[in-house]
Structure formats: structure tokens, C-alpha cells
Amino acid sequence: MSEHRTGAPGRVKEVTSLANPLVKDIKALALKKFRDQQNAFMAEGLKLVIDALDLGWTIKTLIFAKSALGNQAVEKVAARTVALGGDVLEVSEKVLTAITRRDNPQAVVGVFTQRFVPLKDIRPHSNDVWVALDRVRDPGNLGTVIRTVDAVGAKGVILVGETTDPFSLETVRATMGSIFAVPVAKTTPEGFLAWRKDFPGTVAGTHLKGAVDYRSVDFGNRPVLLMMGNEQQGLPDNLANGCDKLLRIPQAGRADSLNLAVATGVMLFEIRRNALKL
Ligand code: SAM
């Protein structure tokens, strides 16, 4: 490992060996156990890293490919990282491939501190929309929901029960950067039901046995909490009973149900209909 200066102010470490302890720690972030231990996660791509810094996320390490040396935008972000107290690693393509577990990796990867919003700090008002996901299992679904929440201007996501990790590489990839813009809370079913008691608006569950067509509901100018069920089992009775209404998205074909993220998208575009302008 050597140290030198790029065009950016601040020290940059050059790393080419997969055995380097810094690289080992970053590679370990592929596993939830180590993400939790380090309270960290990885996000790939220069634009994502810049957005994250602009939104005030704490960067621990910036990793960039040797081939990006001399790129002004990369050097600027490296200088910002150093100024914020983070480390900067200039690595070989081999190291980047190992870190991201991907051929043709992005030239820039950021390691950030995880951030959850405490449930007790979520106090919805006016026409805020929040999405609660019951035991979401699939990282692609979770990432897609976070991205859709961002796209429609909903406020955030509450993860209920045992769920897939919002900070896994797959989830972060599927959010396309929205992980940095959308607050995420996590809680137990009991914690959720206790918090829900003070929810000042409509708690709308979606259920294949829902009696109400989602298109017939006037969501009005009040907060809405949209509750979505687990991919395999749908909403359990305790969470379904905690909803003010159980809505169904009518279907016409042979499929039993919609994919969770698609159903969430259909619902969010309806609930936010009046807020969405071309
Ligand atoms: N086998 C599961 C069941 O019996 O509920 C299917 C779950 S579905 C893949 C995942 C979630 O998406 C559901 O719990 C519900 O929240 C929502 N969903 C999917 N299709 C829906 C529909 N047609 N109407 C209402 N909600 C739907």
C-alpha cells in the first residue's frame, strides 16, 4: 500500500492487494452481520455518492478505480471525502470487482454509515404518505418500493417484523439512489401496532380478500399509511385488523396477485394522484 497525492487535496491510499485489511473490511460488507458490526453499507456510482454527500450522509470510505485518476468530478468527491474525515482508496479493477462482486464494476464506490429513523420520530401531518411493509423478503422489491416512494413524493418506509436489509448491496442497487432520500424505520409488529394507534389519518391495508376497490376510496387531505403484506403470506390477521380499510386492486387475468412492489406502485400513484403534476 502506498500513499500519494492526487490533484485533490488530502491523502489517498493506493491499494492493489485483495489481502489488504481495508479491502477485507469493505468486502465483508456483503454480509449483513458485518454491515451491522461496522454500521456501514456500500453504494456504487459517482452520482449516487455525490447525492449522498449533498444529502448529508456520512461517508466512511471512498473507493475509486485507478482508471478514474484525473477525472475532475472523482477528484472533487475525493477531496470532499477527506475534508469530511473519510478515507480515500485508489484501487485496481481487480479489487473493485471483488468489493462489488461484479464484472465491469462502477469506477466509484462509497461506504456510508447506516441510518434508520426512529419510529417515535415519525409524526405524520397534512397529506403525508408513509408505506409500511410487513416482513418484506426480496431485496429487489424493497429497493423498488423505496425508489417508488421517492418518485411519488411519499415520506418514507416502515419495515415491520423480520425483513430483508435495506442496506444490502442488492437493495441499495434497486433503489437507484433513493436510499439516500427516503427515511426508513424498522420495528416489530407490536411496536408498529402501538405507534399506529396515534396515526392521525387513514391506515389503508391491501389484501387479496379486501372488500373495497382501491379506486373507490377518497384519500382526502389527510395522512395515509399504506400497509403492504409479505410476498408469500400477505398481511397476517393482527396487522390486517389494525387497518382502517382493506383494499383490493381488481384483476382480470389468471394471476392470483400482483408482485409486492408493483402493487405498492399502483396504490401510491392512486393515493398521490392529486400531488403528481407533469
Ligand atoms: N399469497 C399472498 C397472499 O395471499 O396475500 C400474495 C401476496 S402479494 C404477492 C404481496 C402483497 O401485495 C399483498 O400482501 C398485498 O399487500 C399486495 N397485493 C398484491 N396484489 C394485490 C391485489 N390484487 N390487491 C390488493 N393487494 C395486493
PDB file of all heavy atoms in Angstrom, residues 231-253:
ATOM      1  N   GLU A 231     -44.632 -11.089   0.755  1.00  0.00           N
ATOM      2  CA  GLU A 231     -44.725 -11.664  -0.587  1.00  0.00           C
ATOM      3  C   GLU A 231     -45.426 -13.027  -0.614  1.00  0.00           C
ATOM      4  O   GLU A 231     -46.207 -13.305  -1.516  1.00  0.00           O
ATOM      5  CB  GLU A 231     -43.343 -11.836  -1.217  1.00  0.00           C
ATOM      6  CG  GLU A 231     -42.643 -10.546  -1.605  1.00  0.00           C
ATOM      7  CD  GLU A 231     -41.646 -10.082  -0.557  1.00  0.00           C
ATOM      8  OE1 GLU A 231     -41.846 -10.384   0.636  1.00  0.00           O
ATOM      9  OE2 GLU A 231     -40.669  -9.405  -0.931  1.00  0.00           O
ATOM     10  N   GLN A 232     -45.116 -13.882   0.361  1.00  0.00           N
ATOM     11  CA  GLN A 232     -45.699 -15.229   0.334  1.00  0.00           C
ATOM     12  C   GLN A 232     -47.054 -15.285   1.035  1.00  0.00           C
ATOM     13  O   GLN A 232     -47.997 -15.894   0.560  1.00  0.00           O
ATOM     14  CB  GLN A 232     -44.782 -16.256   1.014  1.00  0.00           C
ATOM     15  CG  GLN A 232     -43.667 -16.782   0.129  1.00  0.00           C
ATOM     16  CD  GLN A 232     -42.496 -15.822   0.131  1.00  0.00           C
ATOM     17  OE1 GLN A 232     -42.121 -15.285   1.167  1.00  0.00           O
ATOM     18  NE2 GLN A 232     -41.939 -15.576  -1.042  1.00  0.00           N
ATOM     19  N   GLN A 233     -47.121 -14.645   2.196  1.00  0.00           N
ATOM     20  CA  GLN A 233     -48.284 -14.871   3.064  1.00  0.00           C
ATOM     21  C   GLN A 233     -49.291 -13.744   3.106  1.00  0.00           C
ATOM     22  O   GLN A 233     -50.368 -13.904   3.673  1.00  0.00           O
ATOM     23  CB  GLN A 233     -47.788 -15.158   4.486  1.00  0.00           C
ATOM     24  CG  GLN A 233     -47.058 -16.494   4.573  1.00  0.00           C
ATOM     25  CD  GLN A 233     -46.009 -16.489   5.676  1.00  0.00           C
ATOM     26  OE1 GLN A 233     -46.078 -15.690   6.602  1.00  0.00           O
ATOM     27  NE2 GLN A 233     -45.037 -17.365   5.553  1.00  0.00           N
ATOM     28  N   GLY A 234     -48.980 -12.600   2.539  1.00  0.00           N
ATOM     29  CA  GLY A 234     -49.884 -11.453   2.672  1.00  0.00           C
ATOM     30  C   GLY A 234     -49.901 -10.964   4.120  1.00  0.00           C
ATOM     31  O   GLY A 234     -49.077 -11.397   4.944  1.00  0.00           O
ATOM     32  N   LEU A 235     -50.812 -10.047   4.443  1.00  0.00           N
ATOM     33  CA  LEU A 235     -50.859  -9.479   5.799  1.00  0.00           C
ATOM     34  C   LEU A 235     -51.389 -10.495   6.802  1.00  0.00           C
ATOM     35  O   LEU A 235     -52.437 -11.107   6.559  1.00  0.00           O
ATOM     36  CB  LEU A 235     -51.802  -8.263   5.827  1.00  0.00           C
ATOM     37  CG  LEU A 235     -51.303  -6.950   5.252  1.00  0.00           C
ATOM     38  CD1 LEU A 235     -52.412  -5.891   5.344  1.00  0.00           C
ATOM     39  CD2 LEU A 235     -50.060  -6.481   6.005  1.00  0.00           C
ATOM     40  N   PRO A 236     -50.725 -10.657   7.947  1.00  0.00           N
ATOM     41  CA  PRO A 236     -51.285 -11.530   8.987  1.00  0.00           C
ATOM     42  C   PRO A 236     -52.478 -10.834   9.647  1.00  0.00           C
ATOM     43  O   PRO A 236     -52.632  -9.605   9.526  1.00  0.00           O
ATOM     44  CB  PRO A 236     -50.127 -11.670   9.979  1.00  0.00           C
ATOM     45  CG  PRO A 236     -49.304 -10.446   9.796  1.00  0.00           C
ATOM     46  CD  PRO A 236     -49.469 -10.021   8.369  1.00  0.00           C
ATOM     47  N   ASP A 237     -53.294 -11.603  10.359  1.00  0.00           N
ATOM     48  CA  ASP A 237     -54.544 -11.046  10.914  1.00  0.00           C
ATOM     49  C   ASP A 237     -54.295  -9.853  11.831  1.00  0.00           C
ATOM     50  O   ASP A 237     -55.034  -8.875  11.786  1.00  0.00           O
ATOM     51  CB  ASP A 237     -55.310 -12.129  11.697  1.00  0.00           C
ATOM     52  CG  ASP A 237     -55.914 -13.145  10.743  1.00  0.00           C
ATOM     53  OD1 ASP A 237     -55.916 -12.866   9.516  1.00  0.00           O
ATOM     54  OD2 ASP A 237     -56.337 -14.219  11.209  1.00  0.00           O
ATOM     55  N   ASN A 238     -53.251  -9.924  12.685  1.00  0.00           N
ATOM     56  CA  ASN A 238     -53.072  -8.814  13.640  1.00  0.00           C
ATOM     57  C   ASN A 238     -52.812  -7.492  12.915  1.00  0.00           C
ATOM     58  O   ASN A 238     -53.342  -6.450  13.303  1.00  0.00           O
ATOM     59  CB  ASN A 238     -51.970  -9.122  14.674  1.00  0.00           C
ATOM     60  CG  ASN A 238     -50.604  -9.359  14.044  1.00  0.00           C
ATOM     61  OD1 ASN A 238     -50.498  -9.639  12.851  1.00  0.00           O
ATOM     62  ND2 ASN A 238     -49.558  -9.238  14.842  1.00  0.00           N
ATOM     63  N   LEU A 239     -52.045  -7.539  11.821  1.00  0.00           N
ATOM     64  CA  LEU A 239     -51.782  -6.299  11.085  1.00  0.00           C
ATOM     65  C   LEU A 239     -52.994  -5.909  10.242  1.00  0.00           C
ATOM     66  O   LEU A 239     -53.337  -4.713  10.148  1.00  0.00           O
ATOM     67  CB  LEU A 239     -50.532  -6.440  10.200  1.00  0.00           C
ATOM     68  CG  LEU A 239     -49.201  -6.617  10.946  1.00  0.00           C
ATOM     69  CD1 LEU A 239     -48.039  -6.694   9.952  1.00  0.00           C
ATOM     70  CD2 LEU A 239     -48.952  -5.468  11.930  1.00  0.00           C
ATOM     71  N   ALA A 240     -53.660  -6.885   9.650  1.00  0.00           N
ATOM     72  CA  ALA A 240     -54.862  -6.582   8.850  1.00  0.00           C
ATOM     73  C   ALA A 240     -55.932  -5.945   9.743  1.00  0.00           C
ATOM     74  O   ALA A 240     -56.578  -4.961   9.361  1.00  0.00           O
ATOM     75  CB  ALA A 240     -55.393  -7.852   8.194  1.00  0.00           C
ATOM     76  N   ASN A 241     -56.087  -6.467  10.976  1.00  0.00           N
ATOM     77  CA  ASN A 241     -57.098  -5.911  11.893  1.00  0.00           C
ATOM     78  C   ASN A 241     -56.734  -4.499  12.340  1.00  0.00           C
ATOM     79  O   ASN A 241     -57.600  -3.753  12.795  1.00  0.00           O
ATOM     80  CB  ASN A 241     -57.270  -6.805  13.126  1.00  0.00           C
ATOM     81  CG  ASN A 241     -57.884  -8.136  12.743  1.00  0.00           C
ATOM     82  OD1 ASN A 241     -58.554  -8.226  11.710  1.00  0.00           O
ATOM     83  ND2 ASN A 241     -57.647  -9.182  13.547  1.00  0.00           N
ATOM     84  N   GLY A 242     -55.456  -4.157  12.248  1.00  0.00           N
ATOM     85  CA  GLY A 242     -55.014  -2.818  12.638  1.00  0.00           C
ATOM     86  C   GLY A 242     -55.261  -1.773  11.556  1.00  0.00           C
ATOM     87  O   GLY A 242     -54.944  -0.601  11.739  1.00  0.00           O
ATOM     88  N   CYS A 243     -55.799  -2.192  10.402  1.00  0.00           N
ATOM     89  CA  CYS A 243     -56.036  -1.239   9.307  1.00  0.00           C
ATOM     90  C   CYS A 243     -57.456  -0.677   9.387  1.00  0.00           C
ATOM     91  O   CYS A 243     -58.383  -1.362   9.830  1.00  0.00           O
ATOM     92  CB  CYS A 243     -55.861  -1.933   7.951  1.00  0.00           C
ATOM     93  SG  CYS A 243     -54.180  -2.520   7.664  1.00  0.00           S
ATOM     94  N   ASP A 244     -57.640   0.574   8.927  1.00  0.00           N
ATOM     95  CA  ASP A 244     -58.988   1.158   8.876  1.00  0.00           C
ATOM     96  C   ASP A 244     -59.790   0.542   7.744  1.00  0.00           C
ATOM     97  O   ASP A 244     -61.009   0.419   7.828  1.00  0.00           O
ATOM     98  CB  ASP A 244     -58.900   2.683   8.646  1.00  0.00           C
ATOM     99  CG  ASP A 244     -58.198   3.384   9.797  1.00  0.00           C
ATOM    100  OD1 ASP A 244     -58.489   3.024  10.948  1.00  0.00           O
ATOM    101  OD2 ASP A 244     -57.348   4.259   9.527  1.00  0.00           O
ATOM    102  N   LYS A 245     -59.107   0.217   6.634  1.00  0.00           N
ATOM    103  CA  LYS A 245     -59.788  -0.370   5.477  1.00  0.00           C
ATOM    104  C   LYS A 245     -58.858  -1.416   4.874  1.00  0.00           C
ATOM    105  O   LYS A 245     -57.639  -1.263   4.955  1.00  0.00           O
ATOM    106  CB  LYS A 245     -59.984   0.653   4.351  1.00  0.00           C
ATOM    107  CG  LYS A 245     -60.657   1.948   4.689  1.00  0.00           C
ATOM    108  CD  LYS A 245     -60.593   2.832   3.427  1.00  0.00           C
ATOM    109  CE  LYS A 245     -60.886   4.281   3.752  1.00  0.00           C
ATOM    110  NZ  LYS A 245     -62.224   4.569   4.170  1.00  0.00           N
ATOM    111  N   LEU A 246     -59.451  -2.422   4.257  1.00  0.00           N
ATOM    112  CA  LEU A 246     -58.651  -3.382   3.480  1.00  0.00           C
ATOM    113  C   LEU A 246     -59.044  -3.238   2.017  1.00  0.00           C
ATOM    114  O   LEU A 246     -60.199  -3.481   1.643  1.00  0.00           O
ATOM    115  CB  LEU A 246     -58.874  -4.805   3.978  1.00  0.00           C
ATOM    116  CG  LEU A 246     -58.241  -5.145   5.331  1.00  0.00           C
ATOM    117  CD1 LEU A 246     -58.521  -6.592   5.721  1.00  0.00           C
ATOM    118  CD2 LEU A 246     -56.716  -4.881   5.333  1.00  0.00           C
ATOM    119  N   LEU A 247     -58.095  -2.828   1.214  1.00  0.00           N
ATOM    120  CA  LEU A 247     -58.371  -2.504  -0.189  1.00  0.00           C
ATOM    121  C   LEU A 247     -57.886  -3.610  -1.103  1.00  0.00           C
ATOM    122  O   LEU A 247     -56.905  -4.285  -0.812  1.00  0.00           O
ATOM    123  CB  LEU A 247     -57.674  -1.194  -0.560  1.00  0.00           C
ATOM    124  CG  LEU A 247     -57.912  -0.020   0.387  1.00  0.00           C
ATOM    125  CD1 LEU A 247     -57.165   1.202  -0.106  1.00  0.00           C
ATOM    126  CD2 LEU A 247     -59.399   0.260   0.530  1.00  0.00           C
ATOM    127  N   ARG A 248     -58.575  -3.735  -2.224  1.00  0.00           N
ATOM    128  CA  ARG A 248     -58.125  -4.704  -3.230  1.00  0.00           C
ATOM    129  C   ARG A 248     -57.910  -3.998  -4.566  1.00  0.00           C
ATOM    130  O   ARG A 248     -58.650  -3.072  -4.919  1.00  0.00           O
ATOM    131  CB  ARG A 248     -59.157  -5.825  -3.379  1.00  0.00           C
ATOM    132  CG  ARG A 248     -58.747  -6.881  -4.387  1.00  0.00           C
ATOM    133  CD  ARG A 248     -59.227  -8.274  -4.004  1.00  0.00           C
ATOM    134  NE  ARG A 248     -60.573  -8.299  -3.477  1.00  0.00           N
ATOM    135  CZ  ARG A 248     -61.637  -8.779  -4.139  1.00  0.00           C
ATOM    136  NH1 ARG A 248     -61.519  -9.249  -5.368  1.00  0.00           N
ATOM    137  NH2 ARG A 248     -62.814  -8.792  -3.554  1.00  0.00           N
ATOM    138  N   ILE A 249     -56.899  -4.450  -5.277  1.00  0.00           N
ATOM    139  CA  ILE A 249     -56.668  -3.985  -6.647  1.00  0.00           C
ATOM    140  C   ILE A 249     -57.317  -5.033  -7.547  1.00  0.00           C
ATOM    141  O   ILE A 249     -56.847  -6.179  -7.595  1.00  0.00           O
ATOM    142  CB  ILE A 249     -55.158  -3.881  -6.964  1.00  0.00           C
ATOM    143  CG1 ILE A 249     -54.451  -2.971  -5.943  1.00  0.00           C
ATOM    144  CG2 ILE A 249     -54.932  -3.395  -8.377  1.00  0.00           C
ATOM    145  CD1 ILE A 249     -52.912  -3.035  -5.989  1.00  0.00           C
ATOM    146  N   PRO A 250     -58.396  -4.672  -8.227  1.00  0.00           N
ATOM    147  CA  PRO A 250     -59.079  -5.687  -9.039  1.00  0.00           C
ATOM    148  C   PRO A 250     -58.168  -6.191 -10.161  1.00  0.00           C
ATOM    149  O   PRO A 250     -57.356  -5.432 -10.692  1.00  0.00           O
ATOM    150  CB  PRO A 250     -60.275  -4.921  -9.622  1.00  0.00           C
ATOM    151  CG  PRO A 250     -60.401  -3.689  -8.823  1.00  0.00           C
ATOM    152  CD  PRO A 250     -59.046  -3.357  -8.308  1.00  0.00           C
ATOM    153  N   GLN A 251     -58.302  -7.427 -10.478  1.00  0.00           N
ATOM    154  CA  GLN A 251     -57.507  -8.029 -11.549  1.00  0.00           C
ATOM    155  C   GLN A 251     -58.440  -8.706 -12.549  1.00  0.00           C
ATOM    156  O   GLN A 251     -59.580  -9.050 -12.194  1.00  0.00           O
ATOM    157  CB  GLN A 251     -56.536  -9.055 -10.975  1.00  0.00           C
ATOM    158  CG  GLN A 251     -55.562  -8.484  -9.969  1.00  0.00           C
ATOM    159  CD  GLN A 251     -54.601  -9.526  -9.393  1.00  0.00           C
ATOM    160  OE1 GLN A 251     -53.990  -9.280  -8.385  1.00  0.00           O
ATOM    161  NE2 GLN A 251     -54.471 -10.683 -10.038  1.00  0.00           N
ATOM    162  N   ALA A 252     -57.944  -8.932 -13.780  1.00  0.00           N
ATOM    163  CA  ALA A 252     -58.812  -9.536 -14.792  1.00  0.00           C
ATOM    164  C   ALA A 252     -58.265 -10.861 -15.336  1.00  0.00           C
ATOM    165  O   ALA A 252     -59.005 -11.679 -15.857  1.00  0.00           O
ATOM    166  CB  ALA A 252     -59.012  -8.561 -15.943  1.00  0.00           C
ATOM    167  N   GLY A 253     -56.956 -11.078 -15.208  1.00  0.00           N
ATOM    168  CA  GLY A 253     -56.353 -12.261 -15.836  1.00  0.00           C
ATOM    169  C   GLY A 253     -56.288 -13.451 -14.903  1.00  0.00           C
ATOM    170  O   GLY A 253     -57.084 -13.576 -13.962  1.00  0.00           O
TER     171      GLY A 253
END
